[in-house]
Amino acid sequence: MKILAFETTCDETSAAVLKGRSLLSNRVHSQIKLHCKYNGVVPELASRAHLEKIPYVLGGALKAAGSRVPLRRGSFDAVAFSRGPGLPGALMVGRVAAEAAAELSGSPLIGVSHLEGHLLACEFKNGKVARPLEFPLLALIVSGGHTEIWHARGYGEYKVLGRTRDDAAGEAFDKVAKLLGLPYPGGPAVEKEAALARGAGPVFPKPFMEGTWDFSFSGLKTAVSYYLAGRLGQDFYKRGRRLPPADRARVCRAFQDSAVETLVKKAVDAARSLGLKRIAVGGGVSSNSALRAAFGRLEGFEVRFSEKAYCSDNAAMIALCAMRRFEAGKFRNSLKVSPNLDAPGW
Ligand code: KG4
Ligand code: ZN
């Protein structure tokens, strides 16, 4: 079975080819350079950049996979794309590309959930689908736009237990980085700074939100901005006043500690209450070393992460979701994009 997949939900344009259990190619073009001067993704620019880059990304993926170009009947058994959640214009670019490829290849078009992709990315090892997930498990999806916990009973059987009520975890990293004058995307920048922190520093609240599996990270971000206003003055942001580097590192460590502790505690509490012993963590934030280390210290749970190369957005994970659905025979020839897709199940 050979699947061609596209990913264009946000600021990565990606195409991948999966054959059987082997990933033949996974080309990713990141738009970070385009968006970093705005400290966040500008949707219109993202759509245009997807349009501009997708032919090259597709060409690269096909060439690396040794696929015949141009596509012809039977080139692929299925063509897949992320149908949501994501930026509407960006999603449309991936859909149109996938639709055209499916038409040429005479194969079904499978629209999958981007968030399910982040979960299934845990199955890749050294370019192969070599570590199938074992169910049931507790899934924690932590990306730039989403923070969710699911009870996963099997492929396609996901019940959303909780999600963020305001900022996603990655968004909080990005916003705190912006407050501190660090570059976009904020997650890797904050992680790097936090690793440099020495000595005592501030302590920020941990938004555990007892009694619900939902998350809320905006208060934590606000606590950081109050701390900075206390140190630098209310107008610190407008005036571009910054903390000395040693203090900035301590703020990053304190923020990261609070975010990580909150994510781990909520996932563990939810897993315990459902009697689950397995946890799988996916999404851009899951590449954070402090988060990985905190989960690694847990006893009594088997915790899975994807390899770092597959934590951020990529089409390989989309191909894998489509492969699971294709094998189960559970897909409709689906053309619709769904920017707010909130039901990741099949
Ligand atoms: O999953 P992803 O690539 O895109 C979305 O689906 O949103 O996640 C991107 C997010 C960004 O907010 C980025 O700052 C965050 O993941 N991120 C990290 C790290 N690497 C990326 N957050 C914390 N620590 C990291 N090392
Ligand atoms: Zn993502």
Side-chain angles (χ1 to χ4, degrees):
M1 186 205 341
K2 206 169 171 191
I3 293 177
L4 170 66
F6 294 90
E7 158 59 41
T8 61
T9 53
C10 189
D11 58 347
E12 262 96 25
T13 314
S14 180
V17 175
L18 182 68
K19 185 178 182 195
R21 296 292 187 262
S22 299
L23 191 58
L24 300 187
S25 63
N26 182 38
R27 286 296 164 110
V28 182
H29 174 266
S30 166
Q31 301 176 4
I32 283 176
K33 274 196 192 141
L34 179 66
H35 300 291
C36 66
K37 58 178 173 288
Y38 306 100
N39 276 102
V41 178
V42 182
E44 177 61 22
L45 295 183
S47 311
R48 292 183 197 186
H50 283 307
L51 261 181
E52 193 186 313
K53 296 294 176 194
I54 208 159
Y56 302 101
V57 169
L58 171 61
L62 292 175
K63 202 167 160 206
S67 296
R68 282 176 153 195
V69 182
L71 297 185
R72 59 197 69 193
R73 256 194 133 56
S75 289
F76 292 97
D77 297 296
V79 179
F81 69 104
S82 285
R83 62 182 290 254
L87 302 170
L91 288 170
M92 295 294 281
V93 177
R95 190 212 77 164
V96 168
E99 194 180 355
E103 187 62 34
L104 286 170
S105 177
S107 30
L109 183 61
I110 306 181
V112 310
S113 155
H114 174 79
L115 299 183
E116 183 190 31
H118 278 308
L119 169 62
L120 267 53
C122 294
E123 300 196 326
F124 284 118
K125 190 176 181 200
N126 299 330
K128 297 227 180 308
V129 186
R131 306 186 303 165
L133 287 169
E134 286 178 67
F135 297 97
L137 60 82
L138 193 288
L140 172 67
I141 311 296
V142 272
S143 72
H146 297 83
T147 301
E148 302 197 351
I149 39 180
W150 306 345
H151 181 188
R153 279 181 284 252
Y155 292 116
E157 294 178 58
Y158 315 119
K159 183 173 174 209
V160 180
L161 301 176
R163 47 167 63 108
T164 186
R165 293 184 183 177
D166 38 58
D167 293 347
E171 192 178 357
F173 271 92
D174 294 339
K175 288 179 174 171
V176 165
K178 187 174 175 182
L179 289 172
L180 292 165
L182 295 169
Y184 176 85
V190 169
E191 177 181 344
K192 218 162 128 194
E193 285 284 316
L196 302 173
R198 302 287 176 267
V203 176
F204 296 124
K206 295 170 180 71
F208 292 139
M209 304 253 293
E210 303 291 347
T212 168
W213 304 129
D214 284 349
F215 296 88
S216 167
F217 286 104
S218 75
L220 173 56
K221 169 201 68 193
T222 305
V224 175
S225 77
Y226 281 168
Y227 174 81
L228 294 175
R231 288 285 309 274
L232 302 169
Q234 288 297 339
D235 56 351
F236 77 95
Y237 195 57
K238 272 192 237 144
R239 289 177 168 230
R241 276 198 249 144
R242 303 283 178 227
L243 286 175
D247 289 342
R248 187 175 63 193
R250 290 188 203 112
V251 170
C252 286
R253 182 186 58 193
F255 163 77
Q256 183 174 267
D257 285 352
S258 289
V260 164
E261 214 179 299
T262 303
L263 291 169
V264 174
K265 179 173 162 38
K266 294 215 73 121
V268 167
D269 284 357
R272 283 211 177 104
S273 82
L274 293 164
L276 299 172
K277 295 277 176 222
R278 301 185 193 96
I279 298 176
V281 192
V285 181
S286 72
S287 68
N288 184 278
S289 304
L291 183 71
R292 288 172 172 251
F295 272 111
R297 286 191 291 273
L298 287 179
E299 285 177 12
F301 290 97
E302 185 196 313
V303 185
R304 290 271 299 266
F305 281 87
S306 47
E307 289 179 335
K308 285 202 177 184
Y310 302 105
C311 288
S312 54
D313 294 348
N314 64 83
M317 67 189 195
I318 303 308
L320 180 44
C321 292
M323 188 263 272
R324 294 288 178 211
R325 290 183 83 138
F326 193 82
E327 286 184 347
K330 285 192 181 166
F331 63 90
R332 277 166 303 201
N333 209 22
S334 162
L335 295 177
K336 282 198 186 133
V337 302
S338 178
N340 298 315
L341 187 66
D342 67 354
W346 299 350

